[in-house]
Amino acid sequence: MTLQKTETADRSVRVDWNSYASAYDLLSEHNPEYQALLHDFEAFLSTIEKPRLIYDIGGGTGNYTKIAARDCPGSEIRFMEPDTGMIGMAKSKLAAHGNIRFDTLALEDIVATGTADLVICVHALYTMPTPEERLFDLRRLLRPGGWLYLIDLGRHMDVADWRNYLFSSLRQQLGLAGALRIFWQGREIAKQNQNILEAQKTGDYWTHTEAEVATAATAAGFEIVRKQSVYRGYSDLLVCRAMA
């Protein structure tokens, strides 16, 4: 998932999110850690009042919006994703839901202020220019007391570590032949994850500790209700409320 401005970005390392999209759901479906995050989000939704307006920022192929649209059918959802491959997959996946509006605006270009009850931002913030400033934009979208559900990749993407983990999981689920088939079909993911790692190493993509992203969120005007390390320690999950 990403919300960088792909047309104008001048970063030295390029991640081809359009190619990434083609295999994203294939591997995510078989990744227990990814599925655990989806379950956590669904459980979170059950604990809050049904939102009137939801933004999914850097919504990728639409997996989180799919849960929100199903569990909150009365909500208006604005799905923001600039990558053509990912937003195309999301539109197809979410076609049955009439309460979703799709847009390719970057976060900083969204003009709405103080209207959202819930903002979702999963594995997108780290790709954005000056991500600490983008947290202020996330806060700007929310009404006081509104919710931010944030997951962000903070540590270097160890491609070999993930390859070993996923292959072991796939082999348990599908056997050796099934694991090899899925790995071959999803081979573009490993290539683009390597590009993500290189962008992290050069500083083009943000890396942070759990404490650092929490500090940045607090500075942007959020009260942190829950925080934890997730995704095998590579990412941080923050559930926050927008302070007045």
Side-chain angles (χ1 to χ4, degrees), residues 9-21:
D10 58 358
R11 301 182 176 194
S12 58
V13 179
R14 303 287 177 148
V15 176
D16 185 351
W17 294 105
N18 196 63
S19 296
Y20 197 88

Side-chain angles (χ1 to χ4, degrees), residues 11 14 27 59 81 115 117 119 133 137 152 162 173 175 185 189 197 204 218 220 222 238 240 244:
R11 301 182 176 194
R14 303 287 177 148
L27 285 186
E81 172 56 61
T115 56
D117 302 292
V119 170
E133 294 180 17
D137 289 323
D152 202 51
W162 273 107
Q173 297 172 47
Q185 293 174 341
I189 293 292
L197 174 62
D204 293 331
T218 300
F222 288 103
L238 275 68
C240 307

Side-chain angles (χ1 to χ4, degrees), residues 31 33 155 158 161-166 229-235:
N31 182 344
E33 291 291 321
R155 268 66 78 193
D158 188 330
D161 176 54
W162 273 107
R163 184 189 303 117
N164 292 337
Y165 168 76
L166 288 172
S229 177
V230 295
Y231 216 49
R232 304 180 61 241
Y234 284 89
S235 300

